């Protein structure tokens, strides 16, 4: 078992510096353009594929880092480059992880390569879970999957929303209800192959931030997929549903809390994204404060500015420590007895919003213009307190974990 450490090893430092160079040289020069265009930055994704960043192999290597720091380190550097482009690069990973977690070896080998494509023809994938009436409340999901035994096909109907790469993806992974009587335990995940009839893009959202990342509704109208597209297979699903029905009768809360452990383990990655954005804004503000002069001296000489920067750096470092702790706990199997995963996501998200706002204030009128990147960073930071569980949900999870109350 890896000991907790705050020091990256030589291999990790090499990867960090490599990612930082890509973020600095490729992502940052393109960030303002793709934010304005509000389109998927295909050329940047292709560059990421050429150097090996946009690939399952890269993320698998970071995921299996025994210290747990591979993923948060990678997320921080990419989102330090730009949050919108960063999400376009890592968004496919959400669908890939869904297949890795639930799929058979054959499904993993068949579908994940199609999610990424190749260097000459890059593809993206979409993970479709949220719905117009089912965001934080996953039990309210309405998308249904009905099995047609005669044809060995599943028929999907419903509307998904807030889907990263939704509608433009080569492969969609769709979560649907197969047994509404047992709530979230009655859900299953399905692969929707390329060009499947009945799947279409609904509304594409024009967003406040992360505008280089495509976000849209996905509409499913009598979408038929072969039985082999049920992740894990029908036999495994039937066994799981039978166990869930029994547990729902006696000790259903154990099932819910086990599911929460999965969310706790994944939330630090989002926290790392927030740390990257906050760090980027802080560095711009620090450089500006050291070079901008008023009344004959750099503005960092004023305590009002200096103390803000001191607080910003302290909060960023504290957020990173919470993220690293939770990531290490997840990879080493430590129990999240105090909802440490939610803690890391909550604090890092709130820090990103606060630090980017302070950066604008330090830059004054310049910070309010699009001539400087902190305005974009502030818009991007707003998403961290919303997606992958709002700050309010994080606080609820933490409070109920501490009190021993069931997490519903």
């Amino acid at each position: 078992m890896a000991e907790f450490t705050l020091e990256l090893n030589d291999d990790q430092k090499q990867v960090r510096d490599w990612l930082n160079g890509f973020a600095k040289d490729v992502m940052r020069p393109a960030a303002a353009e793709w934010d304005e265009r509000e389109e998927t930055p295909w050329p940047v994704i292709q560059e990421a594929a050429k150097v090996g960043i946009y690939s399952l192999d890269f993320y698998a290597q970071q995921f299996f880092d025994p210290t747990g720091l591979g993923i948060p380190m990678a997320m921080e550097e990419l989102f330090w480059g730009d949050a919108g482009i960063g999400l376009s690069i890592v968004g496919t990973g959400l669908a890939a992880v869904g297949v890795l977690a639930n799929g058979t070896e054959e499904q993993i080998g068949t579908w994940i390569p199609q999610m990424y494509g190749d260097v000459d023809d890059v593809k993206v994938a979409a993970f479709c879970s949220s719905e117009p009436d089912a965001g934080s409340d996953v039990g309210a999901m309405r998308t249904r999957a009905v099995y047609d035994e005669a044809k060995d096909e599943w028929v999907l109907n419903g509307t998904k929303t807030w889907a990263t790469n939704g509608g433009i993806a080569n492969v969609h992974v769709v979560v649907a209800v197969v047994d509404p009587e047992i709530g979230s335990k009655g859900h299953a995940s399905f692969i929707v192959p390329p060009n499947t009839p009945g799947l279409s893009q609904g509304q594409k959202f024009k967003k406040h931030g992360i505008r280089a990342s495509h976000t849209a509704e996905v509409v499913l109208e009598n979408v038929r997929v072969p039985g082999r597209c049920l992740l894990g297979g029908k036999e495994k699903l039937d066994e799981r549903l039978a166990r869930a029905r029994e547990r729902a009768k006696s000790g259903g809360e154990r099932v819910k809390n086990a599911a929460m452990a999965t969310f706790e383990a994944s939330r630090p990655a989002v926290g790392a994204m927030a740390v990257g954005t906050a760090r980027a804004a802080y560095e711009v503000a620090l450089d500006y404060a050291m070079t901008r002069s008023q009344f004959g001296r750099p503005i960092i000489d004023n305590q009002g500015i200096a103390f803000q920067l001191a607080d910003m750096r302290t909060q960023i470092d504290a957020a990173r420590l919470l993220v690293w702790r939770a990531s290490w706990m997840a990879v080493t199997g430590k129990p999240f007895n105090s909802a440490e995963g939610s803690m890391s996501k909550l604090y890092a998200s709130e820090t990103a919003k606060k630090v980017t706002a302070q950066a604008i204030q330090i830059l004054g009128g310049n910070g309010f213009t699009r001539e400087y990147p902190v305005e974009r960073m502030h818009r991007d930071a707003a998403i961290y307190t919303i997606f992958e569980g709002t700050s309010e949900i994080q606080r609820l999870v933490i409070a109920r974990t501490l009190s021993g109350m069931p997490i519903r």
Side-chain angles (χ1 to χ4, degrees):
M1 180 181 296
E3 295 297 326
F4 181 68
T5 177
L6 299 178
E7 181 67 29
L8 298 177
N9 60 42
D10 290 341
D11 289 341
Q12 291 169 327
K13 289 177 182 177
Q14 185 176 7
V15 172
R16 179 199 61 192
D17 294 344
W18 171 53
L19 290 171
N20 183 269
F22 181 83
K24 180 181 178 181
D25 297 336
V26 180
M27 295 174 67
R28 285 195 163 186
E33 175 188 351
W34 292 100
D35 176 72
E36 291 286 349
R37 292 175 64 167
E38 299 191 53
E39 297 175 358
T40 300
W42 292 108
V44 183
I45 297 175
Q46 187 170 36
E47 286 299 312
K50 286 180 180 179
V51 300
I53 294 173
Y54 186 70
S55 70
L56 178 64
D57 287 345
F58 171 73
Y59 291 107
Q61 289 173 13
Q62 304 316 309
F63 182 81
F64 290 111
D65 183 332
T67 70
L69 301 184
I71 289 294
M73 177 193 65
M75 294 300 104
E76 178 177 337
E77 293 306 322
L78 290 174
F79 282 70
W80 172 86
D82 180 67
I85 295 177
L87 192 56
S88 287
I89 291 173
V90 307
T92 293
L94 297 173
V97 168
V99 175
L100 282 171
N102 301 296
T104 64
E105 289 187 9
E106 181 180 358
Q107 289 170 331
I108 292 170
T110 298
W111 297 112
I112 290 184
Q114 294 187 49
M115 292 180 174
Y116 286 92
D118 56 46
V119 174
D120 297 319
D121 186 21
V122 293
K123 304 291 186 182
V124 294
F127 183 74
C128 308
S129 179
S130 294
E131 298 184 2
D133 295 318
S136 299
D137 182 9
V138 294
M141 189 177 293
R142 295 180 180 178
T143 297
R144 295 287 187 265
V146 178
Y147 185 56
D148 183 343
E149 189 170 0
K151 295 184 177 181
D152 185 28
E153 292 179 338
W154 289 89
V155 185
L156 280 61
N157 282 283
T159 299
K160 295 297 183 178
T161 194
W162 310 124
T164 298
N165 299 329
I168 66 170
N170 196 45
V171 176
H172 291 76
V173 177
V174 177
V175 182
V177 178
V178 295
D179 186 342
E181 299 299 320
I182 52 176
S184 61
K185 293 293 102 181
H187 297 173
S189 296
F190 299 85
I191 291 285
V192 180
N195 304 314
T196 298
L199 183 148
S200 62
Q201 179 182 307
Q203 175 187 7
K204 177 187 175 182
F205 296 103
K206 295 183 73 67
K207 304 187 300 294
H208 176 67
I210 54 167
R211 302 197 304 195
S213 173
H214 176 97
T215 310
E217 292 180 330
V218 174
V219 180
L220 305 145
E221 297 179 309
N222 293 320
V223 172
R224 286 182 168 269
V225 298
R228 66 179 182 276
C229 288
L230 166 64
L231 288 181
K234 191 157 190 311
E235 182 178 347
K236 183 177 178 181
L237 172 65
D238 289 341
E239 292 175 356
R240 178 168 63 81
L241 293 177
R243 290 195 303 269
R245 293 183 191 110
E246 287 300 315
R247 288 174 178 170
K249 296 176 183 177
S250 58
E253 292 302 336
R254 291 199 305 272
V255 179
K256 292 175 183 175
N257 289 335
M260 284 305 303
T262 301
F263 290 113
E264 282 297 293
S266 64
R267 282 170 175 156
V270 181
M273 298 174 187
V275 171
T277 300
R279 186 183 117 213
Y282 158 77
E283 290 176 0
V284 173
L286 176 63
D287 180 70
Y288 187 88
M290 294 176 67
T291 56
R292 169 72 167 174
S293 292
Q294 290 289 281
F295 304 105
R297 59 180 183 175
I299 62 173
I300 198 171
D301 285 352
N302 300 311
Q303 283 189 348
I305 300 296
F307 285 7
Q308 282 192 74
L309 289 162
D311 287 344
M312 291 159 73
R313 177 58 185 266
T314 300
Q315 291 157 5
I316 291 167
D317 282 11
R320 183 184 297 107
L321 288 173
L322 286 170
V323 166
W324 282 18
R325 179 185 69 169
S327 301
W328 173 78
M329 291 176 67
V331 80
T332 55
K334 301 287 185 183
F336 290 102
N337 293 327
S338 300
E340 288 87 351
S342 289
M343 283 184 184
S344 70
K345 197 269 184 182
L346 169 65
Y347 190 79
S349 298
E350 296 290 344
T351 293
K353 284 186 68 174
K354 184 175 182 180
V355 166
T356 53
Q358 287 176 302
I360 291 176
Q361 191 67 27
I362 290 172
L363 269 67
N366 286 326
F368 198 66
T369 71
R370 295 188 183 181
E371 295 300 314
Y372 287 79
V374 291
E375 175 272 339
R376 183 181 69 252
M377 293 168 182
H378 185 51
R379 287 188 286 107
D380 291 341
I383 194 59
Y384 299 125
T385 61
I386 298 172
F387 74 174
E388 301 299 318
T390 65
S391 287
E392 291 74 21
I393 288 294
Q394 307 306 325
R395 291 185 173 99
L396 181 66
V397 170
I398 295 166
R400 291 193 170 180
T401 302
L402 294 176
S403 67
M405 295 174 62
I407 302 171
R408 302 185 186 280

